[in-house]
Amino acid sequence: MAVGDELLWEARDKGPRAVPRLRRMAVVAAVLGFVALLFMVEYDVGWVLWVAGAYLAAELAHLGWDRRRVVEARLVDDTGGGGARLRLRHVGGRAGEFDPHRVSGVLVVRDNVDGSATLRLRLSGRRTVFGRPGPPPALMAWRAACPRAHVRDRQAYWGMPGVPD
């Protein structure tokens, strides 16, 4: 069965988002520096260093998690002559190929505010792989690509403020 190259998922933003991260870190550093200068005269400001360290650790953990998110999923032909392979490309540029029969679950979470959707793939014997937000994919393509997977979608649990759900 020749599959060719079929796009199953594509995120809107595929880059590492370095500029917003650096801007956010600069704003937090400026606010902490201002608070430290404000309270330095009368109080001990050692807690500012602890807060800055905790924020830096949280930012590094988020960076590590974000680099493993999927930005593109394609169904491609196997170069070894076998069947089709599922190629997942991550934010960090790493790409991996998997057997589509190993996918045990596909969940598309639709955001009811801006119309985007996020992808969650559950591979058998492995962890859940998360995708960055993108346009909602066609579920029938996922059902055809991964025949053993439980493919479903759902709305997000939050709603738009002021609008009844």
Side-chain angles (χ1 to χ4, degrees), residues 57-116:
E59 195 68 45
L60 289 174
H62 183 265
L63 174 68
W65 176 74
D66 190 44
R67 286 184 56 85
R68 289 184 279 138
R69 290 171 72 181
V70 172
V71 294
E72 187 177 271
R74 290 185 178 274
L75 193 64
V76 295
D77 283 335
D78 190 14
T79 56
R85 304 290 289 172
L86 181 66
R87 180 179 295 153
L88 301 177
R89 193 167 66 93
H90 299 269
V91 173
R94 184 174 52 106
E97 290 190 0
F98 301 96
D99 183 17
H101 295 286
R102 288 188 53 207
V103 177
S104 61
V106 177
L107 174 64
V108 176
V109 181
R110 296 177 186 274
D111 191 357
N112 52 2
V113 176
D114 65 352
S116 67

Side-chain angles (χ1 to χ4, degrees), residues 3-23:
V3 188
D5 190 8
E6 182 181 354
L7 180 67
L8 296 173
W9 173 261
E10 187 173 28
R12 282 192 192 126
D13 184 16
K14 295 181 181 181
R17 297 182 184 169
V19 173
R21 181 171 285 118
L22 290 175
R23 186 180 303 138

Side-chain angles (χ1 to χ4, degrees), residues 26-40 45 47-48 52:
V27 167
V28 169
V31 168
L32 285 176
F34 177 73
V35 168
L37 286 175
L38 190 65
F39 290 129
M40 192 183 312
V45 291
W47 60 270
V48 173

